[in-house]
Amino acid sequence: MNDATQDRVSSARPDWHARPADAVAEHWAVAPEKGLDEPEVTRRRERYGLNRLPEARPRGPLIRFLSQFRNLLIYVLLGAALITALLGHWVDTAVIVGVVLVNAVIGFVQEGKAEDALRAIRDMLSARAMVVREGRQYSVPAEELVPGDVVLLQAGDRVPADLRLWRARGLQIEEAALTGESVAQEKSIEPVAGEAVLGDRLGMAYSGTLVTHGQGAGIVVGSGADTEIGRISRLVSQVETLTTPLLRQMATFSRWLTGAVLGLAALIFLFGILWRGMAPAEMFMTVVGLAVAAIPEGLPAILTVTLAIGVQRLAGRHAIIRRLPVVETLGSLSVICSDKTGTLTRNEMMVRSLVSAAGHCRVEGEGYCPRGAFRRGEEPLDPARHPWLMRLLRAGLLCNDATLEETDEDWQVHGDPMEGALIAAALKGGLDADDERAANPRTDLIPFDAQHKFMATLHHDHQGEAFVYVKGAPEQVLRACQAVWDEQGESPLDQEAWEQHIEALAAEGQRVLAVACKGMPSHAQEVDFADVESGLVLLGLLGLIDPPREEAIRAVADCREAGIRVKMITGDHAGTARAIAAQLDLSNCGEVITGQQLESMDDEALARRVEDVDVYARVSPEHKLRLVTLLQAQDAIVAMTGDGVNDAPALKRADVGIAMGRKGTEAAKEASEMVIADDNFASIVRAVEQGRTVYDNLKKAIAFLLPINGGEAMSILVAVLFGLTLPITPVQILWVNMVSSVALAMALAFEATEPDAMRRPPRPADEAMISGFLLWRIALVALLMAAGVFGIFRLALADGASLEEARTYAVNTLVVMEIFYLFSVRFLRTPSLSWAHMVDSRAAILAVAVVALLQLMFTYAPFMERFFDTRPVDFVHGVEIVLIGVGLFAVLELEKLWLRRAAGRRRSDDG
Ligand code: ATP
């Protein structure tokens, strides 16, 4: 037994919950305030391994390969191979087995690609944890935690390992993953009895559970498989199948079609023997040919690959899909409700204005660089000579959790960007962050949350004086203020005048913060809500700029063209929201509904407004749920963004819940269908575009494969029913369907977005995939294909060609028609004939090259002649065959033109 295992066994289920936190810290040789140091972390990682649950082993390649044969048609084919072998038709047996094998290899490769796509996405979603190491806070991948690490928890986090808590502030944890109890448990740091059951161990936070409220810190006492969740389920079974409702629907359709075709084949078999007096062996091969011809065997696999490629492309555009069906929903989105800060705006904040009772000024500068002048009008202002200014800046610096760091090329914020901006402003004013923090150490805090919209910190200076600084949404802070500070001291607060100041800053699109302070008894060690609800003294206002992202402005315009309404739902002030909405050019940026108004309206009144109003300000997370529900009641398909733990219900309720990858909590990510890695609104719109593309490509794959099956089946049926010679033999059909068609259809999975993808309205959510249009197109192409195949076959025979030659022409005609149809189907309704389209079709050209090569081999290689009974095609017939392909393409282009004209006429009649 090695060291690590021994330790695990000896520490099996120790009673951490029954020991005081200090004793646990001592056991793990860690000082809770400082954490471990890096060399120790490395040592412990070597000893205990990564903090990861062992994964269920993926299916091995052999099993995956064999599973390709689990398909009704394959069984039929293997049966046919057996029968042909019994009859001594060895060549047919070899062809059938060969084709089945090639098809299984294609399926195997495709499936591998699909699984890779999913795996890559899972990796992108790995969780992170905040740790304290060497006295500093870091965000590290959760799997890098080691026993003894000090982990910080806050609302929205998923607990990354088993922790013994040593600090808990209003900390509530929902432990349903372990105990099944969905009501969150209030945590404390007190030890409990050794025999306490899991749900009663208040001093513990267990891996996999969810922090719903408050803050805390704990020491890792179990990681990886050595956690409670690891004991329950030693394996994470992540068996996610790559499917969506549409794919399931199509798979059912394929199965149903397979059954029907096999039934029909049996009837034809009897009909051939009894009615036409054919030999059973020959008739058997004919009906096998019919089955292969009519069953779209490649369809489900092609659809799966199309979906996988789509998901992979979405990930490349920063949209990580967590639940696959959402790929389809994206294409029918009609409303996107988006946060403002960081999503529509850049979240690169800078303090621009400072206002107090004693004066006001503007600040200059770039980004977070702490250099920039203070001015009043054009006049420079020396901050050191204005105590009001220094006091405001100091409060902003101290009531703050962020840090600012100079990197090689830039200044970077760790933490909230807005707080970073406050630090930059303080440094511009000449304050030194470390000196200030050392002179006014922080004893306690009330952290910011979106519900209360403020933050408060308790400090003690070296004279022993205690005071709280509060910063937050101005309405909130002003309500608690009883006086205002100017350089002479405190004076009465004129609410109305301050509200005007706020409005004026907000109207310029500035985000406004109010800063206040209050003296506290010098022995105070804690600050509570009651302390900051009244008696504050207002120090002043800070106006911050956070301009809209350029790409968000363009994306909003794209949405308008695509028939998608964008609604901005923000926690910010109404005035600021209105100004930013105007800069973004939202459809209706004049009207704003605030959270307060929202609360005073009943559902009926709100329902009437919700469609038209695009800006919602001072909204709390709970309001989001109401907005989504009301929009959905009006048949909208709604996407909603969110980041906090309280956003989870709205994210779950929305048709597409979108969590922010950077500032989003684990809780928000888990409630959402999609995670946007860069928090950027433009990425949401790109995802919608990609969603529409995937749907189009699925449709194209269906429109491509079904008529080929239809055309082939029709050719065989006609021949059997009318007692004609088969224009294509069953083994030749096998070749076309399971090799050429599948290779060509694969190209459709890689199709780029059509130029008009974002210029049409969203697809109705209940639209059938096989619409009237698609049915018509499938029937038309099937007919044309059957006509082409039969046409060349009969003509060749009439011209004196041998049966084998005529059949070779027919097969080649079919494949050439497929190739031309591939180029036609790439654009379902718009013209395909354009140089630009030809150039950007690498996948299609590659597929055509491969198929052409195979087809040349099929036609001219002597060994192929043995298997497929082919004959070389002469030049004249070669030209004829290509011309038939061109003819098919031309007819379909004319059909598109005719359909477009008809649609245009309908529109102008309607108009
Ligand atoms: P959005 O919901 O679009 O992201 P937001 O970031 O403004 O907008 P919240 O984060 O809910 O929304 O913030 C609401 C308000 O709370 C802000 O307008 C600001 O006045 C105040 N606020 C935000 N962050 C802090 C903070 N760290 N400390 C104090 N007050 C804050």
Side-chain angles (χ1 to χ4, degrees):
M1 215 186 280
N2 66 25
D3 240 19
T5 6
Q6 210 161 22
D7 195 90
R8 272 202 196 138
V9 173
S10 62
S11 70
R13 298 178 182 263
D15 55 351
W16 304 116
H17 53 280
R19 305 187 204 174
D22 295 347
V24 174
E26 204 171 313
H27 174 96
W28 290 105
V30 61
E33 293 81 16
K34 293 203 75 167
L36 300 172
D37 57 19
E38 282 303 331
E40 183 57 26
V41 170
T42 315
R43 258 196 304 281
R44 293 192 187 192
R45 194 170 306 129
E46 270 162 27
R47 182 157 178 200
Y48 297 101
L50 286 177
N51 175 30
R52 193 161 51 183
L53 290 183
E55 274 183 34
R57 209 141 37 97
R59 288 184 305 163
L62 184 68
I63 303 284
R64 250 183 52 211
F65 183 72
L66 289 180
S67 72
Q68 304 300 321
F69 294 91
R70 274 180 36 204
N71 168 324
L72 189 55
L73 184 79
I74 300 285
Y75 298 153
V76 172
L77 285 176
L78 292 177
L82 188 72
I83 293 178
T84 50
L86 290 177
L87 293 172
H89 296 190
W90 292 111
V91 173
D92 289 345
T93 314
V95 170
I96 298 176
V97 172
V99 168
V100 166
L101 281 178
V102 170
N103 193 259
V105 170
I106 297 180
F108 176 77
V109 173
Q110 287 172 345
E111 203 179 280
K113 202 161 176 45
E115 285 188 1
D116 285 349
L118 279 191
R119 195 164 318 118
I121 284 171
R122 270 202 299 273
D123 289 348
M124 290 172 85
L125 278 172
S126 60
R128 298 187 72 83
M130 277 307 271
V131 288
V132 179
R133 286 180 188 162
E134 296 176 347
R136 291 191 56 176
Q137 294 181 12
Y138 297 95
S139 156
V140 300
E143 64 173 32
E144 288 181 11
L145 293 179
V146 295
D149 252 331
V150 177
V151 175
L152 304 179
L153 295 176
Q154 60 175 354
D157 287 351
R158 190 155 280 276
V159 179
D162 282 2
L163 309 175
R164 174 65 175 93
L165 296 168
W166 64 271
R167 199 176 69 206
R169 233 199 118 78
L171 185 67
Q172 290 178 11
I173 297 187
E174 188 245 282
E175 298 178 323
L178 282 178
T179 60
E181 172 59 63
S182 61
V183 179
Q185 170 76 263
E186 178 99 32
K187 292 287 177 179
S188 72
I189 59 170
E190 302 309 322
V192 293
E195 61 277 11
V197 292
L198 221 84
D200 295 337
R201 299 179 186 172
L202 301 183
M204 297 292 294
Y206 289 109
S207 180
T209 58
L210 201 66
V211 182
T212 54
H213 197 82
Q215 282 192 322
I219 299 158
V220 176
V221 292
S223 64
D226 196 25
T227 53
E228 285 300 327
I229 190 115
R231 291 200 178 100
I232 294 176
S233 59
R234 290 236 160 237
L235 301 175
V236 230
S237 35
Q238 282 166 324
V239 221
E240 193 175 356
T241 46
L242 200 62
T243 191
T244 70
L246 172 70
L247 260 60
R248 270 198 294 276
Q249 207 179 315
M250 290 309 297
T252 316
F253 168 74
S254 297
R255 266 202 302 280
W256 175 85
L257 194 64
T258 306
V261 169
L262 292 180
L264 183 71
L267 281 180
I268 300 267
F269 182 70
L270 292 178
F271 170 84
I273 300 173
L274 301 178
W275 195 266
R276 294 237 175 262
M278 314 262 282
E282 188 190 336
M283 209 46 221
F284 177 74
M285 281 312 287
T286 307
V287 294
V288 168
L290 176 66
V292 177
I295 297 172
E297 50 278 314
L299 192 58
I302 296 286
L303 296 185
T304 308
V305 172
T306 308
L307 182 69
I309 305 272
V311 169
Q312 214 166 19
R313 283 190 179 166
L314 278 158
R317 292 176 171 79
H318 308 291
I320 306 159
I321 299 296
R322 295 190 67 251
R323 304 198 216 298
L324 286 161
V326 79
V327 181
E328 281 167 23
T329 322
L330 277 174
S332 45
L333 270 189
S334 58
V335 176
I336 303 179
C337 298
S338 173
D339 281 348
K340 170 177 75 70
T341 311
T343 313
L344 289 164
T345 65
R346 289 195 215 151
N347 213 8
E348 284 165 12
M349 307 234 182
M350 197 181 86
V351 175
R352 168 55 34 99
S353 320
L354 294 135
V355 181
S356 82
H360 61 91
C361 69
R362 299 226 146 199
V363 193
E364 293 177 344
E366 278 288 317
Y368 297 102
C369 168
R371 279 183 286 276
F374 289 72
R375 289 183 194 280
R376 179 178 295 160
E378 289 305 306
E379 288 293 302
L381 195 90
D382 177 7
R385 298 181 46 200
H386 297 273
W388 66 267
L389 186 53
M390 296 308 272
R391 197 145 182 216
L392 201 48
L393 292 175
R394 183 175 297 115
L397 174 67
L398 293 175
C399 187
N400 199 313
D401 272 333
T403 49
L404 205 57
E405 186 189 15
E406 185 172 18
T407 61
D408 287 344
E409 66 258 32
D410 215 349
W411 285 79
Q412 262 193 346
V413 179
H414 299 282
D416 180 355
M418 187 181 72
E419 296 191 340
L422 298 185
I423 301 180
L427 301 189
K428 284 175 192 173
L431 293 176
D432 183 293
D434 290 336
D435 290 354
E436 291 296 331
R437 287 185 196 126
N440 306 283
R442 184 201 283 187
T443 332
D444 195 22
L445 94 157
I446 300 177
F448 170 77
D449 74 54
Q451 187 82 34
H452 299 105
K453 300 187 170 58
F454 74 85
M455 162 176 176
T457 49
L458 173 67
H459 302 263
H460 284 83
D461 62 17
H462 292 324
Q463 287 77 48
E465 299 285 325
F467 50 93
V468 216
Y469 280 133
V470 180
K471 75 173 197 305
E475 308 91 294
Q476 211 74 12
V477 177
L478 233 52
R479 207 175 303 143
C481 287
Q482 65 171 31
V484 54
W485 193 79
D486 57 30
E487 282 174 355
Q488 275 72 50
E490 292 175 19
S491 52
L493 177 87
D494 178 354
Q495 283 274 354
E496 222 166 277
W498 282 98
E499 271 159 26
Q500 279 169 11
H501 288 313
I502 296 166
E503 287 296 336
L505 291 175
E508 292 178 29
Q510 295 189 34
R511 186 181 166 88
V512 190
L513 271 186
V515 180
C517 73
K518 180 179 179 179
M520 294 282 283
S522 54
H523 55 82
Q525 288 298 314
E526 283 190 359
V527 48
D528 288 324
F529 278 96
D531 296 324
V532 293
E533 266 164 12
S534 61
L536 300 184
V537 178
L538 183 69
L539 297 179
L541 301 177
L542 295 158
L544 294 108
I545 49 169
D546 177 21
R549 296 172 182 263
E550 280 305 317
E551 64 274 26
I553 300 177
R554 275 196 302 277
V556 167
D558 288 348
C559 283
R560 186 166 314 130
E561 238 188 317
I564 301 169
R565 194 83 182 230
V566 179
K567 298 193 185 282
M568 183 165 103
I569 304 202
T570 175
D572 217 334
H573 188 273
T576 316
R578 189 183 291 117
I580 299 284
Q583 290 171 26
L584 285 163
D585 199 16
L586 291 192
S587 301
N588 176 6
C589 51
E591 268 183 282
V592 181
I593 293 186
T594 63
Q596 220 173 11
Q597 291 167 331
L598 227 126
E599 265 167 25
S600 67
M601 285 188 210
D602 60 15
D603 278 355
E604 211 178 306
L606 187 57
R608 262 180 282 155
R609 308 282 312 277
V610 74
E611 201 175 345
D612 280 335
V613 176
D614 287 342
V615 185
Y616 299 82
R618 287 289 187 239
V619 168
S620 297
E622 302 79 82
H623 299 142
K624 289 185 172 182
L625 180 61
R626 201 162 156 222
L627 287 173
V628 172
T629 315
L630 285 175
L631 283 165
Q632 283 174 332
Q634 302 183 2
D635 293 332
I637 306 292
V638 187
M640 170 68 83
T641 66
D643 43 27
V645 61
N646 298 335
D647 288 333
L651 291 174
K652 276 203 190 126
R653 174 70 205 225
D655 298 278
V656 181
I658 305 174
M660 296 298 137
R662 288 199 195 150
K663 61 173 189 171
T665 55
E666 283 300 308
K669 286 180 195 169
E670 271 167 42
S672 65
E673 268 86 22
M674 185 163 96
V675 176
I676 292 291
D678 61 353
D679 294 11
N680 188 339
F681 179 75
S683 298
I684 301 176
V685 180
R686 295 285 81 78
V688 172
E689 188 179 7
Q690 195 55 39
R692 289 185 175 195
T693 306
V694 174
Y695 196 84
D696 282 349
N697 289 353
L698 293 174
K699 205 177 209 170
K700 287 173 195 174
I702 294 170
F704 178 70
L705 283 172
L706 290 187
I708 296 173
N709 291 109
E712 290 165 349
M714 233 186 273
S715 308
I716 297 196
L717 267 181
V718 168
V720 174
L721 291 178
F722 295 97
L724 306 170
T725 326
L726 286 182
I728 304 183
T729 66
V731 286
Q732 288 170 342
I733 289 200
L734 214 55
W735 164 266
V736 174
N737 271 15
M738 299 187 83
V739 179
S740 321
S741 301
V742 173
L744 287 174
M746 269 294 276
L748 291 174
F750 295 91
E751 271 303 302
T753 306
E754 285 199 44
D756 73 336
M758 289 298 273
R759 282 189 226 129
R760 35 178 145 103
R763 161 175 57 84
D766 53 0
E767 186 191 83
M769 172 57 109
I770 305 194
S771 57
F773 161 70
L774 215 59
L775 268 182
W776 146 255
R777 176 61 70 72
I778 290 168
L780 173 69
V781 177
L783 258 175
L784 289 172
M785 291 213 168
V789 167
F790 250 105
I792 195 153
F793 178 70
R794 305 299 303 178
L795 277 178
L797 283 184
D799 274 353
S802 69
L803 180 61
E804 288 74 21
E805 281 171 340
R807 280 184 170 155
T808 312
Y809 302 155
V811 177
N812 276 304
T813 307
L814 183 59
V815 175
V816 167
M817 283 197 290
E818 277 189 322
I819 291 178
F820 277 94
Y821 183 45
L822 177 72
F823 282 98
S824 167
V825 89
R826 292 178 59 216
F827 302 91
L828 277 173
R829 289 167 190 268
T830 51
S832 297
L833 199 60
S834 111
W835 182 240
H837 290 168
M838 292 294 160
V839 178
D840 69 7
S841 49
R842 253 188 313 166
I845 289 173
L846 184 74
V848 169
V850 170
V851 168
L853 212 69
L854 286 170
Q855 210 50 36
L856 287 174
M857 219 163 71
F858 174 87
T859 312
Y860 297 104
F863 72 93
M864 285 290 201
E865 183 184 329
R866 268 199 55 207
F867 287 127
F868 293 100
D869 233 356
T870 46
R871 297 289 179 275
V873 175
D874 59 278
F875 180 72
V876 176
H877 277 102
V879 173
E880 238 175 69
I881 290 171
V882 173
L883 284 180
I884 294 179
V886 174
L888 174 89
F889 187 82
V891 170
L892 290 179
E893 286 301 284
L894 285 175
E895 178 242 21
K896 287 185 201 171
L897 185 70
W898 174 66
L899 283 178
R900 276 200 309 281
R901 292 236 167 109
R905 262 200 306 280
R906 259 200 314 277
R907 262 201 304 277
S908 62
D909 286 353
D910 289 351

